[in-house]
Amino acid sequence: MADRYDPQEIEKKWQQKWADDDLYKVRDDDPRPKWYSLTMFPYTSGDLHIGHWYNNIPADVHARYMRMRGYNVLHPYGFDAFGLPAENAAIKRGIHPFKWTMQNIYNMRRQVKSIGAVYDWSREIITCLPEYYKWTEWFFLKLYEAGLAYRARAPVNWCPDCQTVLANEQVVGEGVCERCETPVIRRDLEQWFFRITKYADELLNFDGIDWPERIKSMQRNWIGKSFGTEISFALDHPGVAEKEIKVFTTRPDTVFGVTFMVLAPEHPLVAGLTSPEKKAEVEAYVLKSRRQSEIERLSTEKEKDGVFTGAYCVNRLNGQKVPIWIADYVLLSYGTGAVMAVPAHDERDFAFAKKYRLPVPVVISPPDWDGRDLKEAYIEPGTMVNSGRFDGLPSQQGIDAVTAYLAEKGWGKRTVSYKIRDWLISRQRYWGAPIPIIYCKKCGTVPVPEKDLPVLLPEDAEFKPTGESPLKYHQQFFNTKCPKCGGPAERETDTMDTFVCSSWYFLRYTSPHYEKAAFDSAKMKHWLPVDFYTGGAEHAVMHLLYARFFIKAIRDIGIVDFDEPFLRLFNNGIILSGHEKMSKSKGNVVNPDDYVNSLGADTLRGYFMFLGPWDQGGEWDDSGISGMSRWMKRIWTLVLDDYKSAGSRGDLELARFTHRTIKKVTEDIEKIRFNTMVAALMEFTNYLGKVKDEGSVGNPAWDLAIKTLLLLLAPTAPHISEELWHRAGYDYSIHSQPWPHWNEDLVKEEEITLVVQVNGKVRDRIAAPASITGQEAVQTALDSARVQPYLEGKQVVNKIYVPGKLVNIVVK
RNA sequence: GCCGAGGUGGUGGAAUCUGGUAGACACGCCAUCUUGAGGGGGUGGUGCGCGUAAGCGCGUCGGGGUUCAAAUCCCCGCCUCGGCACCA
């Protein structure tokens, strides 16, 4: 009798030994081919929960598999430590964010180590330490020098609860803050932006990278490229210098149907255009729309309203005077912030026109139009009417024809519009990397010289949010000298969005302690780009888009020489608890420690692998975990317990099963189908149990089968496989062994189950040699006693034979 | 409204890419054996209906279609989940 399987003991033992031996230390000069496998680093807002494990474990299994396949695998771990949530949590508890964050890291690191992953802890990075954020600041300077970071006054998303601005990507759902779910409001502020819009087109190109369709489609959607026409309406108004108003439209074929113009309330021309008698009304409306939350403003339920400015412009195509209105359904941030309203052919314009009794002339005729007024907007293609020289043209052709005519006259041109906005990176908060900029009365905006980096985040600042950056009130930080003229100057007091920190962390892992630069260039070139990147899909239009932009930007600056950071992306699903995402604030987190302490890390690892397809996620349910625990015990006794008397199971059959399992497991890991990989290993275990009961153990085929089982199990359950490997007398470590190969000859079946159908219904299953010919198979089928009754009195009209599988007899 | 992913036993899921034995593997449940004490173990059964059984019929969201053969391919519809959404 072997001793009992005691996961706590063996897991602790081997983790200690692996650490002592530096077994997972990654060498840059290893001659084997490199494989950079990265899992998204966790955010340090609290303890790890099983959602993190669900992210990390299958990635670790894959990395372990690649090691055994002979690759030099870099699979590092670190912590995303700056940012709002950590700061908010710290404030709530009355502790300093640095202390809070480092406490969390201390505990998270302990938890992560308990999973027995291959992380090389000597490469750990923490983004809130000066040795890291020095280089975040450095990248900011590089982007600034290249004109890719700029400061501008703009209407921005303001979270009243977090008391800071947010990037567009961080406003989610119905206009609420991504972190605290407070409705955001609009404010006009002077802020720092990264020019991501410059890369809009390149970011739409996913050639050469293997990403899930879902993520690509979300990014395309977010970038929102649409082709259209810019049309200039003539303006002659004493209040403004401009002689035109430009609009963007995808329907230039409807331009003869324009009956009014709508500007966004924040449009710069509004003040100048408003006539004295409309002034009060317009100003009230502008104020109202500014005060509204995004939810109210963007609600499609809300009835469209607006006010007339009293001014007019001219539609150059027909010379008509067009009244200029303002309405909050027009967005300043899209197109030109001005819309030519064609009520007959746009639902929103139609509703607006009805409300304010504006004319609705039809210029695109529906196929069977009777000439009467429309009951609703007609937005489908049709025939152009009341459109001068374009009458009779199909509207699809009209789009090009009108655009060409406008271009010829100089009144417009073909153009492209994007939904994506530049990335707003300023945060009026304490817990972030300082923006390395100094404002001097004499010299203006002056970047901090590289030699003065890092601009240290002062530890003794009063960090509670006030709506302005807390650093403004820290005199030693705020007051400084101008690097150019030496005169008195002030520091930029906003900090950077934490997504800036995570836009380059995968570069730092290649040389995490390098002091002369953000990374050692030779090492970066060796490892990058990342071969396999895994993590949750919640980052589709944030981190994953920002990181792609960042790489393209620093490529153009000459810092890196590749185009895409992540060659293959796999998005794992999300583990839910109570049908919601796990989060500390919702109080529904499930802690993995209890499972590790009671059942062991290997069991929990195996359970995550077995749950279902990794990209699916789902509700957390531990009711099946006992099955995984039983399997571990079965393997334990299978390998260690004595066996019974001699039996008769053939070596060849054993070898065949072994090789078929190698093939199945290998292919499943390659295709990231971990649940069926585990199932195959379970089947193999069940089979070996039967073989053992019959007694044919102790021979070379049995030894090979057990050895293979342990090797195939090693990535999933690294501790038990190491222990059993050791006890079976093989050399340490199982994790340094090559992955087993299969012999294709042994994988082939010798015997098949011939399925016999009559008219497509299964009537018999007959064991047959794999070498059976079509003729023999059909004859076997016809001879079957089970099949005969279905043929009686019928005429056989067709016989289908699928080699190695089935015969279908078609009768009439 | 638009984009994406899905819908299979009591449950998680397999088979879908490549049309060919639906329900692998596991949980749960039922029966049975084992003095068996801390998350027991063995054996058998378990889609639904009829039947002691052999077996027969019905079954992969609904409706059509293609095919000798459809969970799988095509069309229409319904539902669920995720994302985007007054984008002119």
Side-chain angles (χ1 to χ4, degrees):
Chain A
M1 234 351 231
D3 52 346
R4 229 186 51 192
Y5 170 49
D6 181 352
Q8 285 72 35
E9 191 198 313
I10 64 168
E11 286 172 8
K12 213 169 160 186
K13 179 179 82 181
W14 288 112
Q15 282 173 20
Q16 188 61 52
K17 175 141 177 73
W18 297 331
D20 291 347
D21 297 345
D22 276 339
L23 187 68
Y24 302 132
K25 181 125 188 149
V26 181
R27 302 194 182 285
D28 301 303
D29 57 0
D30 190 299
R32 292 174 299 175
K34 72 97 181 178
W35 180 262
Y36 190 175
S37 172
L38 185 63
T39 191
M40 291 176 191
F41 64 170
Y43 188 75
T44 55
S45 55
D47 298 346
L48 288 181
H49 52 70
I50 54 167
H52 292 104
W53 279 56
Y54 190 65
N55 293 343
N56 297 167
I57 283 164
D60 179 60
V61 172
H62 190 267
R64 286 177 170 279
Y65 162 76
M66 292 305 285
R67 286 178 88 242
M68 292 176 82
R69 284 291 305 273
Y71 289 88
N72 184 32
V73 175
L74 175 59
H75 187 52
Y77 209 76
F79 299 94
D80 187 15
F82 263 145
L84 287 174
E87 187 179 356
N88 288 344
I91 289 166
K92 208 168 147 190
R93 287 167 180 77
I95 3 176
H96 192 281
F98 181 80
K99 199 177 163 196
W100 166 246
T101 301
M102 294 311 280
Q103 275 175 9
N104 284 333
I105 289 174
Y106 183 81
N107 192 45
M108 290 167 86
R109 192 191 286 129
R110 176 193 62 75
Q111 289 182 297
V112 175
K113 284 190 176 181
S114 78
I115 78 177
V118 287
Y119 306 132
D120 175 353
W121 287 100
S122 71
R123 290 179 185 254
E124 178 192 80
I125 56 177
I126 297 173
T127 59
C128 69
L129 298 180
E131 61 178 55
Y132 184 88
Y133 72 71
K134 171 179 180 177
W135 303 110
T136 306
E137 294 174 0
W138 180 80
F139 277 114
F140 177 94
L141 292 178
K142 292 292 140 187
L143 263 61
Y144 177 74
E145 285 165 21
L148 293 170
Y150 66 94
R151 195 162 184 248
R153 189 169 191 86
V156 296
N157 305 299
W158 177 266
C159 173
D161 190 57
C162 295
Q163 302 214 29
T164 183
V165 298
L166 300 171
N168 278 4
E169 290 79 3
Q170 288 150 21
V171 178
V172 298
E174 317 230 297
V176 302
C177 171
E178 181 238 343
R179 290 291 181 179
C180 68
E181 298 186 358
T182 304
V184 305
I185 57 170
R186 292 249 157 205
R187 282 184 68 172
D188 252 4
L189 290 170
E190 185 108 27
Q191 301 286 313
W192 283 95
F193 293 87
F194 282 169
R195 213 178 286 281
I196 193 171
T197 51
K198 185 181 169 191
Y199 293 90
D201 261 318
E202 199 189 340
L203 288 167
L204 284 169
N205 179 3
F206 294 94
D207 290 352
I209 58 175
D210 179 10
W211 281 37
E213 196 48 49
R214 179 170 51 137
I215 303 297
K216 290 194 281 190
S217 128
M218 279 164 80
Q219 293 203 352
R220 278 191 206 106
N221 212 315
W222 187 258
I223 293 165
K225 183 176 189 174
S226 68
F227 295 91
T229 302
E230 188 179 271
I231 303 178
S232 162
F233 284 68
L235 188 64
D236 183 13
H237 192 283
V240 295
E242 282 81 356
K243 291 293 168 203
E244 60 177 358
I245 296 180
K246 285 180 177 169
V247 301
F248 172 77
T249 180
T250 55
R251 292 294 301 275
D253 53 315
T254 64
V255 69
F256 287 84
V258 173
T259 53
F260 55 102
M261 167 80 58
V262 190
L263 304 186
E266 311 90 337
H267 197 285
L269 289 176
V270 170
L273 288 175
T274 303
S275 61
E277 59 273 24
K278 291 284 179 188
K279 195 165 183 253
E281 207 185 332
V282 167
E283 281 176 359
Y285 187 85
V286 169
L287 199 65
K288 186 189 95 184
S289 59
R290 176 151 305 189
R291 287 229 177 105
Q292 271 176 333
S293 74
E294 287 290 286
I295 297 183
E296 294 163 327
R297 174 159 176 182
L298 295 180
S299 168
T300 41
E301 312 297 310
K302 199 188 77 171
E303 195 179 337
K304 310 219 172 322
D305 61 8
V307 292
F308 178 42
T309 61
Y312 293 84
C313 58
V314 173
N315 183 348
R316 302 188 209 252
L317 282 125
N318 57 13
Q320 274 177 14
K321 255 176 92 176
V322 179
I324 302 170
W325 289 63
I326 62 171
D328 60 10
Y329 76 88
V330 174
L331 309 172
L332 183 66
S333 57
Y334 186 72
T336 61
V339 171
M340 64 174 215
V342 185
H345 307 294
D346 180 279
E347 285 167 8
R348 294 151 304 180
D349 299 343
F350 187 88
F352 197 85
K354 284 288 165 198
K355 182 175 167 89
Y356 295 105
R357 302 214 168 85
L358 295 158
V360 186
V362 173
V363 292
I364 303 296
S365 167
D368 42 15
W369 184 46
D370 57 10
R372 283 192 283 187
D373 286 354
L374 297 174
K375 296 242 168 20
E376 56 183 20
Y378 178 77
I379 57 177
E380 304 297 316
T383 307
M384 292 179 73
V385 292
N386 301 322
S387 297
R389 55 197 291 141
F390 300 101
D391 280 354
L393 210 58
S395 54
Q396 307 277 40
Q397 291 175 33
I399 291 174
D400 288 335
V402 171
T403 304
Y405 183 71
L406 288 166
E408 185 191 314
K409 292 281 188 182
W411 297 339
K413 60 175 187 202
R414 193 173 297 283
T415 185
V416 171
S417 193
Y418 299 89
K419 290 188 210 172
I420 193 171
R421 307 265 59 89
D422 276 337
W423 174 15
L424 197 173
I425 59 133
S426 311
R427 294 292 177 275
Q428 290 71 50
R429 294 291 294 254
Y430 168 72
W431 193 233
I435 295 173
I437 289 289
I438 290 168
Y439 302 107
C440 170
K441 285 223 167 61
K442 225 195 281 174
C443 311
T445 302
V446 183
V448 172
E450 247 179 84
K451 65 173 172 54
D452 294 341
L453 295 183
V455 176
L456 283 172
L457 187 64
E459 277 183 44
D460 56 349
E462 175 53 65
F463 50 80
K464 292 202 176 74
T466 60
E468 282 187 295
S469 178
L471 296 176
K472 211 168 225 170
Y473 302 99
H474 191 283
Q475 293 309 312
Q476 281 153 282
F477 179 87
F478 184 56
N479 295 312
T480 187
K481 275 184 190 157
C482 173
K484 260 192 194 162
C485 70
E490 296 167 355
R491 280 192 195 280
E492 168 66 57
T493 54
D494 285 353
T495 54
M496 281 187 253
D497 181 3
T498 188
F499 281 106
V500 179
C501 310
S502 57
S503 290
W504 71 278
Y505 77 110
F506 43 92
L507 303 174
R508 184 71 180 170
Y509 279 131
T510 63
S511 42
H513 310 296
Y514 197 61
E515 287 176 2
K516 291 181 211 149
F519 49 80
D520 179 325
S521 204
K523 289 180 180 172
M524 185 278 293
K525 278 187 178 145
H526 174 67
W527 289 107
L528 269 291
V530 172
D531 295 287
F532 188 42
Y533 195 35
T534 63
E538 69 269 26
H539 291 296
V541 291
M542 290 193 274
H543 165 61
L544 288 170
L545 190 62
Y546 294 148
R548 291 181 69 214
F549 152 71
F550 210 85
I551 289 302
K552 291 172 196 305
I554 65 174
R555 172 205 60 198
D556 288 348
I557 296 168
I559 299 171
V560 298
D561 59 0
F562 53 94
D563 303 316
E564 290 284 350
F566 316 121
L567 296 181
R568 182 182 179 191
L569 176 71
F570 187 92
N571 280 112
N572 56 259
I574 299 168
I575 292 287
L576 305 173
S577 169
H579 303 283
E580 282 191 283
K581 229 177 117 173
M582 276 183 215
S583 78
K584 216 161 192 189
S585 53
K586 287 182 193 129
N588 62 348
V589 295
V590 180
N591 190 314
D593 292 357
D594 299 339
Y595 295 103
V596 175
N597 291 334
S598 57
L599 299 169
D602 282 340
T603 292
L604 190 53
R605 287 175 65 103
Y607 190 54
F608 278 119
M609 298 292 283
F610 188 54
L611 269 180
W614 193 28
D615 54 2
Q616 200 172 288
E619 181 72 15
W620 172 247
D621 176 7
D622 66 4
S623 62
I625 200 166
S626 56
M628 188 54 58
S629 185
R630 280 176 206 155
W631 182 46
M632 293 292 159
K633 285 179 199 160
R634 280 215 308 278
I635 293 169
W636 184 265
T637 51
L638 178 74
V639 177
L640 297 180
D641 270 11
D642 292 333
Y643 43 87
K644 295 172 191 165
S645 57
S648 58
R649 189 76 67 143
D651 286 359
L652 188 60
E653 188 194 303
L654 187 53
R656 285 183 189 284
F657 209 120
T658 304
H659 282 258
R660 273 207 301 277
T661 304
I662 298 172
K663 181 176 181 179
K664 170 74 176 157
V665 168
T666 306
E667 289 177 351
D668 279 354
I669 294 186
E670 293 281 346
K671 290 175 188 162
I672 319 295
R673 295 202 298 215
F674 298 134
N675 54 331
T676 52
M677 174 206 73
V678 173
L681 284 173
M682 285 175 169
E683 284 182 73
F684 190 40
T685 312
N686 293 345
Y687 171 78
L688 291 176
K690 276 195 193 108
V691 170
K692 188 171 178 176
D693 282 346
E694 291 168 15
S696 59
V697 292
N699 59 38
W702 172 262
D703 289 344
L704 178 73
I706 291 293
K707 188 177 178 181
T708 303
L709 173 66
L710 294 177
L711 288 169
L712 297 179
L713 181 69
T716 301
H719 311 88
I720 190 175
S721 56
E722 183 81 289
E723 177 72 18
L724 293 174
W725 183 258
H726 172 72
R727 291 192 185 213
Y730 297 115
D731 289 344
Y732 174 81
S733 156
I734 191 171
H735 303 299
S736 305
Q737 304 301 317
W739 189 252
H741 293 282
W742 71 87
N743 178 337
E744 199 61 56
D745 287 340
L746 287 172
V747 168
K748 279 184 201 140
E749 305 277 352
E750 324 182 82
E751 196 175 73
I752 58 157
T753 302
L754 187 68
V755 174
V756 183
Q757 299 180 330
V758 178
N759 285 350
K761 279 191 191 294
V762 178
R763 297 302 177 184
D764 199 6
R765 299 181 173 95
I766 304 166
S771 57
I772 195 168
T773 66
Q775 241 175 6
E776 288 164 351
V778 169
Q779 197 52 53
T780 308
L782 290 170
D783 290 347
S784 160
R786 290 179 195 277
V787 168
Q788 298 268 320
Y790 297 96
L791 306 180
E792 253 165 61
K794 303 274 175 69
Q795 190 197 346
V796 175
V797 293
N798 201 359
K799 288 167 284 192
I800 314 279
Y801 174 61
V802 182
K805 280 202 174 137
L806 66 65
V807 173
N808 186 15
I809 301 161
V810 186
V811 298
K812 244 193 336 202

